[in-house]
Amino acid sequence: MPILAALATGVSAPALAQPDDPTLRDSFSIGDQGGALCEVQATVRDSVIKGMFDRAWVIVCRDASQPVGYVRMLRAGADEARARIDAGRAGTIACTADGACTVKDSNVAWATRIEADGNTAYTVEGFAAYGDALNLALESIRHRKIASGQIRVATTSVGGGDGFARTLAGTIDVDKALAEGYRRNHSGDYAEAAEFFEALSLRTEGEQAAAGIDPTEFTLNRALQRSNLGEFAEADRLFGEVEAIPTSDPVQLRLRRNFRAIHALNQRDYDGAAALLETPIPPLVNEVRVEGSAVTLTPEIVAGVNSGANARAVRQAGDRERLTPTERAQIIDAQAVHLLGTVERLRGDAKAAKAAQLKGLADALAVREGRVTSIVRLRSQMLGELALSEEALGDNNAADARFQESIGALAVEYPETNALASARARYAAFLTRHGEDDKALAIYHDVVGALASSQRSTAGMANMMAPYYRLLANRAATDPKAAGDFFVASQLQVRPGVADTQALLARELSAGSDDGARLFRQATTLNRDVERARIEDARLAQMPESAEVNAMRADLKTQLDNLSFQQAETVTKLAAYPQYRVVAPGKLDLVELQQVLRPDEAYLKMLVVGDAVYAMLIGPGDAILWRSDISAQGLENAVDTIRSTISIVENGKRVTYPFDAVTARKLYTQLFGPVADRLPAVPHLIFEPDGAMLRLPVNLLITSDTGLAAYEQRLADPNADAFDMRGIAWLGRSTRPSTAVSALSFRNARQTAPSDAKHEYFGLGENLPVRGGVLPSLGTRGAAGGGVDGSCQWDVSQWSRPISAAELVTASSTMDRGAATLLTGGAFTDTAVKSRGDLSDYRIIHFATHGLVTAPRPSCPARPALVTSFGGQDSDGLLTFQEIFDLKINADLVILSACDTAGAATVAATREAGVASGGGNALDGLVRSFIGAGGRSVIASHWPAPDDFDATKRLIGGLFTARQGESIADALWTSEMQLMDDKRTSHPYYWAGFAIIGDGGQPLLHGATATAQTEGAAGRSAL
């Protein structure tokens, strides 16, 4: 479990009742629930037009992630106000002589309204399509009372090229956006927080300075989130970026110390964490001294103003809700004491740990008498750590009370979040350690139910959930419900990398301008509104009952009912969009999966939790759950051993050794012992791997001793062929496996209608090598590994060894004339692929090119991509997984006959790709992107596709000899069998590497055979 940085964002507890005067609020909502609800947020970004005592607000609506308008209260008359507005928007809004205005270089109408009241002018401007929202916002500010009314928006205005394409983190005030990032952090949504802070770091220096925020704080938070996600090398790089910028600001120094210590704790470097936490930092006291009429700033403040962090505190010294730098430093120091207590507990000194937690808790609560809402998560963590210390000291009653207090602290401010679920799961784990299994099971069941209903996951909670899986597996033989409960809970155990990838792709979807993107933004805002309403209801529930409180809760219930209805309606519409289906969380009940399984199919699911390995075999009418007879580390070792005999790089060359059949046979029995005899009889096996099995295709495991003795004799005979593996009882010989990234994704693939594309096949590949051996100047674009710096640029060699287009030619030659197209050589560029408007016209899209699934260096952010030729100025020679996600395809099958598109990768690459929790494979980043773009299933390779004996050409080419209507799984199996039975290609290296991800039961071909057309075949003769 990562150690979460629960730090104050700088806002103290709100009053018990919100004032109705919207000018006294940070934000307020407008629009009746039946309309398109919008939010008005106070802002200080409008530096051009703001003056003394001026106020400004930004209007953000549910279906737009760009602000739709701005409200200002200016100390000016109407004419002066108009002149100031015109000056502030010069160059962005174009107006004609009759006063009609549009956004510059577009036909999007822009409206302005000014109402004068004495020497004060109230103004609003924004997109004319949102006129209702503009007027309601202005009337609310002008009359100091939230105006009622419905907002009707012409939603077609957001669907074109001028559609709104900026995410929330890029639109609201930097100051408020920072608080939103911390809120995600506090609620346990690490991947979302990481994306939020990354978006914030891209904001202009001017905006950051205007908000008085040290920009290194964004990078510092990005580093911590990456550490929480297990991406330690990238976290080190980001911490290094921060530390390269010196600061004497005491608050920033404390943040750096604590975050670095948390990073050390995440890596179990307890001594390193202690050394950091014990490093003295100068105290921050008396930052502003007032002597008579003179105001004096301390040297620390003067130094800090240059970095921006304390400018906010000085400018807003009169704000009764803003924490001062001294108060913030006190809270961060209290967290340091808490972290040091955690170190002491982990090092075995429970007494010292308890003393530290008590002190840290007291220090934190001393600030504003404990009324700082932003430290609620920190307080809960302190109480949880205190409970663990008391448990270690044998005081279980005290520990029990502390755990419950920890839960209670979160229940009000963070209901239905991962933070609360984590606290409850920690308590349930405590109960299991003391024999209260039934009580623990009930809590675990409620945790899973709450997270499932709110579409959240248990990411980062594996250690605390581990007892639940153990209890269910132990009861599976006697409790019919145990397997179903295990199946549901296991789907919420999302690996950090999956959450990371979903957050990245969700940001990509949110930035779009089509109807799917608009609906997604609407759903995101609805989720936030529901969360806020539930938090407010939980807060009111803690207050003494009265008629006023009851009325407020009744109003909230009505609001929640309306929001929930809109939420369900929006999600129902979103389900039609493949991009949403890829990023959306969710789960299936066991019966829901069984209903889509065919009589000749079974679903084999693995789950690795801690050092335990579990598996389930689910048929149309039954389910078997067991704990495998191997540890997670043992599984890692076995997979490493097997892979080292398949494909490994030694001295810069890739080599293959005689296959380790003994380990493959033993591993099969250890993993699947309870169903070892049943699996070979399953014609179609859908396999959902986890742990190290993400790096190894299941079809090369050996199901019996048949042929092993003869093979061992050949190994011992120097004159025999040690690569002749004919006659081995491979699992892939008797069953046709396909791979699922999740049960939900498999069900979605199965229920998605087949493609109605008018053409059968599109083949792309054989990139042109880079001329002169030097990459084009790309600045900070994709070839630099995601836009970090020059040290993360891919080596030119990645473009210097193109994969032959022979297999594309072979495949296309089986198609009807006009049914297939090839794009190869100089025509195969990233820009050409992204600009094509006919990708949705092809049922099968086939890439024969290299896949870059690792990062150039461990410290670089990984960005899985396919290598292409370089095109014009905007080309980076890569089709990244985010660019793939934005393609519009309508394919039943995408074939990635590329180098190592699903093979062993760095930790960073597996996090980015979203499959493994470390050192696994990266197929899911590319696969998930292609499915989001509109593909139903994907074939990808586990290791570099072999050229020897034309193995890959024969394997992939054999697919297209399938009978009309034959399934993808059957077609691939037939092709693999031919290689298995050929002495030269019977080693798994040649036939086992390709995996079907999605629904292997769908038909491969719909048409007959003939010839194809080519585009830019790089000098070859036309076909």
Side-chain angles (χ1 to χ4, degrees):
M1 169 72 180
I3 305 294
L4 177 70
L7 297 175
T9 60
V11 179
S12 61
L16 292 181
Q18 289 275 9
D20 191 51
D21 184 352
T23 64
L24 299 180
R25 295 188 180 191
D26 279 341
S27 64
F28 61 93
S29 296
I30 55 175
D32 294 339
Q33 296 304 317
L37 189 68
C38 299
E39 189 168 280
V40 183
Q41 300 170 336
T43 178
V44 294
R45 287 176 61 189
D46 218 338
S47 59
V48 174
I49 67 164
K50 75 175 190 294
M52 188 174 296
F53 304 119
D54 294 348
R55 298 288 305 278
W57 294 261
V58 63
I59 307 170
V60 179
C61 289
R62 171 172 301 149
D63 64 344
S65 56
Q66 176 176 332
V68 302
Y70 305 88
V71 184
R72 290 139 187 154
M73 184 170 64
L74 307 177
R75 195 178 64 171
D79 292 341
E80 182 184 349
R82 182 172 296 279
R84 289 170 64 180
I85 290 173
D86 289 343
R89 68 191 188 188
T92 60
I93 302 298
C95 298
T96 61
D98 61 0
C101 299
T102 60
V103 178
K104 189 175 181 181
D105 300 325
S106 79
N107 60 357
V108 177
W110 188 262
T112 304
R113 177 184 165 192
I114 300 175
E115 298 289 342
D117 186 359
N119 63 352
T120 301
Y122 298 91
T123 75
V124 67
E125 63 173 329
F127 294 101
Y130 288 84
D132 292 337
L134 303 183
N135 289 330
L136 284 178
L138 179 65
E139 292 303 313
S140 299
I141 299 299
R142 182 184 176 194
H143 297 293
R144 289 177 168 78
K145 183 177 178 64
I146 298 175
S148 62
Q150 196 172 73
I151 298 173
R152 299 175 180 84
V153 177
T155 55
T156 54
S157 67
V158 301
D162 293 303
F164 303 115
R166 294 172 62 191
T167 62
L168 182 64
T171 60
I172 62 177
D173 282 347
V174 175
D175 200 22
K176 297 181 186 302
L178 179 63
E180 284 287 307
Y182 274 118
R183 185 182 67 81
R184 285 159 171 77
N185 183 36
H186 295 168
S187 64
D189 298 322
Y190 305 130
E192 277 192 37
E195 283 303 296
F196 218 90
F197 287 120
E198 183 171 355
L200 284 169
S201 68
L202 300 177
R203 299 282 285 268
T204 66
E205 291 183 6
E207 287 185 278
Q208 296 167 354
I213 296 175
D214 186 336
T216 63
E217 189 165 337
F218 302 143
T219 306
L220 192 61
N221 274 281
R222 288 171 58 200
L224 181 66
Q225 304 311 320
R226 291 301 167 193
S227 178
N228 282 344
L229 291 167
E231 299 171 14
F232 300 134
E234 187 176 353
D236 280 331
R237 181 184 61 79
L238 292 169
F239 277 123
E241 282 187 15
V242 172
E243 289 157 4
I245 302 174
T247 182
S248 58
D249 177 271
V251 170
Q252 293 301 318
L253 289 173
R254 284 167 167 78
L255 284 177
R256 294 181 183 188
R257 173 199 62 194
N258 285 18
F259 284 21
R260 267 292 193 182
I262 294 169
H263 179 48
L265 279 170
N266 285 342
Q267 299 173 87
R268 294 180 173 86
D269 180 9
Y270 306 140
D271 292 341
L276 286 163
L277 293 166
E278 291 167 348
T279 301
I281 294 178
L284 177 61
V285 293
N286 299 325
E287 60 271 16
V288 180
R289 293 198 301 270
V290 180
E291 299 175 358
S293 61
V295 177
T296 304
L297 304 182
T298 64
E300 291 82 5
I301 284 290
V302 173
V305 167
N306 291 329
S307 65
N310 287 311
R312 172 176 49 176
V314 174
R315 186 181 64 246
Q316 300 187 12
D319 187 343
R320 64 181 177 84
E321 293 191 347
R322 178 68 56 189
L323 287 174
T324 68
T326 298
E327 290 172 324
R328 197 175 183 205
Q330 289 172 339
I331 291 172
I332 300 171
D333 280 343
Q335 185 197 36
V337 175
H338 150 66
L339 293 172
L340 193 55
T342 300
V343 171
E344 296 295 356
R345 179 182 65 80
L346 293 171
R347 292 198 295 197
D349 191 342
K351 186 176 180 180
K354 178 178 179 179
Q357 296 301 341
L358 287 171
K359 183 181 186 306
L361 187 59
D363 291 347
L365 295 178
V367 179
R368 304 262 179 115
E369 299 176 340
R371 292 181 294 104
V372 182
T373 57
S374 52
I375 67 164
V376 168
R377 180 72 194 276
L378 175 59
R379 180 184 167 211
S380 175
Q381 288 180 312
M382 288 176 170
L383 289 167
E385 277 292 324
L386 187 54
L388 291 172
S389 299
E390 288 171 332
E391 180 188 9
L393 292 169
D395 193 350
N396 293 333
N397 290 333
D400 191 292
R402 298 285 191 191
F403 277 124
Q404 296 195 54
E405 188 180 357
S406 172
I407 294 168
L410 291 170
V412 174
E413 293 297 331
Y414 296 101
E416 299 185 29
T417 63
N418 286 70
L420 178 59
S422 180
R424 298 188 69 201
R426 176 180 278 194
Y427 178 46
F430 163 78
L431 294 174
T432 64
R433 291 194 293 271
H434 298 281
E436 298 187 63
D437 290 353
D438 291 338
K439 185 176 180 180
L441 278 171
I443 294 174
Y444 276 127
H445 189 270
D446 288 346
V447 165
V448 169
L451 290 175
S453 65
S454 60
Q455 293 196 324
R456 292 179 177 270
S457 73
T458 55
M461 295 168 53
N463 290 341
M464 287 168 287
M465 294 296 295
Y468 186 46
Y469 299 115
R470 184 180 66 249
L471 289 172
L472 292 175
N474 291 341
R475 297 186 177 204
T478 57
D479 183 357
K481 292 179 55 181
D485 289 344
F486 185 100
F487 180 68
V488 170
S490 67
Q491 294 172 78
L492 304 187
Q493 194 68 46
V494 177
R495 291 177 294 276
V498 173
D500 197 14
T501 296
Q502 287 179 317
L504 281 165
L505 295 182
R507 186 176 70 175
E508 195 75 13
L509 173 57
S510 180
S513 59
D514 59 9
D515 287 342
R518 180 186 64 79
L519 284 169
F520 183 71
R521 291 192 294 267
Q522 178 173 310
T524 300
T525 304
L526 280 166
N527 289 341
R528 184 180 60 172
D529 292 339
V530 168
E531 178 185 347
R532 288 179 174 177
R534 285 174 174 162
I535 289 172
E536 178 66 7
D537 185 58
R539 185 184 66 80
L540 291 172
Q542 303 298 311
M543 298 175 61
E545 189 171 345
S546 67
E548 181 182 6
V549 170
N550 290 341
M552 293 172 70
R553 293 195 70 188
D555 288 343
L556 271 175
K557 183 180 184 306
T558 301
Q559 180 184 0
L560 270 169
D561 289 344
N562 289 332
L563 288 171
S564 298
F565 175 79
Q566 293 177 63
Q567 188 181 44
E569 186 178 47
T570 303
V571 170
T572 299
K573 294 177 181 177
L574 267 172
Y577 295 87
Q579 282 188 317
Y580 173 73
R581 293 198 297 269
V582 165
V583 303
K587 56 83 184 174
L588 297 179
D589 291 330
L590 186 58
V591 172
E592 291 178 295
L593 175 63
Q594 290 173 320
Q595 288 172 344
V596 299
L597 291 176
R598 295 165 182 156
D600 63 344
E601 292 178 333
Y603 193 96
L604 179 61
K605 176 179 176 61
M606 287 184 61
L607 180 70
V608 176
V609 185
D611 206 36
V613 180
Y614 299 96
M616 291 186 72
L617 184 65
I618 304 164
D622 66 344
I624 303 171
L625 165 65
W626 69 94
R627 179 171 177 172
S628 296
D629 187 23
I630 190 172
S631 67
Q633 188 57 56
L635 177 59
E636 290 281 349
N637 295 340
V639 169
D640 286 343
T641 299
I642 294 172
R643 278 198 64 114
S644 68
T645 65
I646 299 173
S647 178
I648 190 171
V649 176
E650 292 182 348
N651 299 321
K653 294 183 178 180
R654 190 167 293 278
V655 296
T656 300
Y657 287 97
F659 185 71
D660 190 342
V662 173
T663 301
R665 170 70 179 120
K666 181 180 179 181
L667 181 58
Y668 176 79
T669 303
Q670 290 174 313
L671 284 175
F672 309 128
V675 296
D677 294 335
R678 179 175 169 179
L679 287 182
V682 177
H684 290 95
L685 184 69
I686 301 100
F687 179 49
E688 182 184 337
D690 197 12
M693 284 303 294
L694 290 156
R695 300 187 284 121
L696 195 73
V698 72
N699 57 353
L700 57 63
L701 296 184
I702 299 174
T703 63
S704 76
D705 294 336
T706 302
L708 284 181
Y711 176 63
E712 291 297 322
Q713 288 178 357
R714 287 196 294 277
L715 289 179
D717 184 352
N719 298 315
D721 185 355
F723 286 80
D724 182 1
M725 301 200 70
R726 292 174 295 173
I728 299 295
W730 309 109
L731 179 61
R733 181 175 284 279
S734 58
T735 188
R736 299 137 177 86
S738 57
T739 302
V741 295
S742 71
L744 184 62
S745 69
F746 168 73
R747 196 278 305 270
N748 288 342
R750 173 139 295 180
Q751 293 186 340
T752 301
S755 170
D756 58 359
K758 58 185 179 182
H759 298 308
E760 195 77 6
Y761 178 87
F762 188 19
L764 309 92
E766 198 174 58
N767 66 280
L768 283 183
V770 177
R771 293 180 180 177
V774 179
L775 285 175
S777 177
L778 300 172
T780 58
R781 299 200 63 237
V788 180
D789 54 45
S791 67
C792 286
Q793 185 168 318
W794 285 102
D795 186 85
V796 69
S797 62
Q798 301 294 346
W799 283 265
S800 301
R801 42 192 179 86
I803 293 177
S804 169
E807 64 187 76
L808 303 178
V809 175
T810 299
S812 63
S813 67
T814 67
M815 306 294 166
D816 286 331
R817 183 176 299 278
T821 298
L822 295 185
L823 187 69
T824 61
F828 171 49
T829 68
D830 53 327
T831 50
V833 175
K834 290 185 291 183
S835 64
R836 289 190 74 104
D838 64 344
L839 291 178
S840 61
D841 291 342
Y842 296 92
R843 281 194 58 252
I844 300 172
I845 298 178
H846 182 180
F847 287 88
T849 187
H850 293 285
L852 305 180
V853 298
T854 66
R857 270 153 293 285
S859 62
C860 300
R863 294 291 184 265
L866 297 177
V867 171
T868 69
S869 299
F870 279 87
Q873 185 176 1
D874 294 332
S875 172
D876 61 6
L878 294 174
L879 194 62
T880 69
F881 84 119
Q882 289 164 297
E883 292 171 336
I884 291 166
F885 186 69
D886 288 332
L887 299 177
K888 303 300 181 185
I889 66 176
N890 182 23
D892 284 333
L893 180 63
V894 176
I895 302 173
L896 303 180
S897 179
C899 174
D900 219 9
T901 49
T906 64
V907 172
T910 58
R911 300 293 187 188
E912 178 74 32
V915 173
S917 57
N921 70 30
L923 64 87
D924 193 53
L926 294 172
V927 167
R928 197 176 290 270
S929 295
F930 273 113
I931 292 176
R936 277 66 167 177
S937 296
V938 179
I939 292 179
S941 52
H942 271 276
W943 46 75
D947 293 327
D948 303 341
F949 313 114
D950 286 333
T952 301
K953 180 180 176 181
R954 291 161 57 194
L955 186 68
I956 299 300
L959 282 173
F960 297 96
T961 63
R963 302 182 307 276
Q964 184 174 345
E966 186 176 6
S967 73
I968 298 171
D970 285 341
L972 183 61
W973 177 78
T974 300
S975 195
E976 288 173 342
M977 287 287 286
Q978 293 174 356
L979 296 182
M980 271 187 230
D981 293 337
D982 183 334
K983 177 181 177 180
R984 301 170 301 165
T985 56
S986 56
H987 189 288
Y989 171 58
Y990 297 103
W991 59 265
F994 285 93
I996 304 167
I997 302 98
D999 181 9
Q1002 62 183 321
L1004 175 64
L1005 297 175
H1006 289 176
T1009 62
T1011 55
Q1013 58 184 334
T1014 63
E1015 298 181 19
R1020 293 197 316 274
S1021 58
L1023 297 177

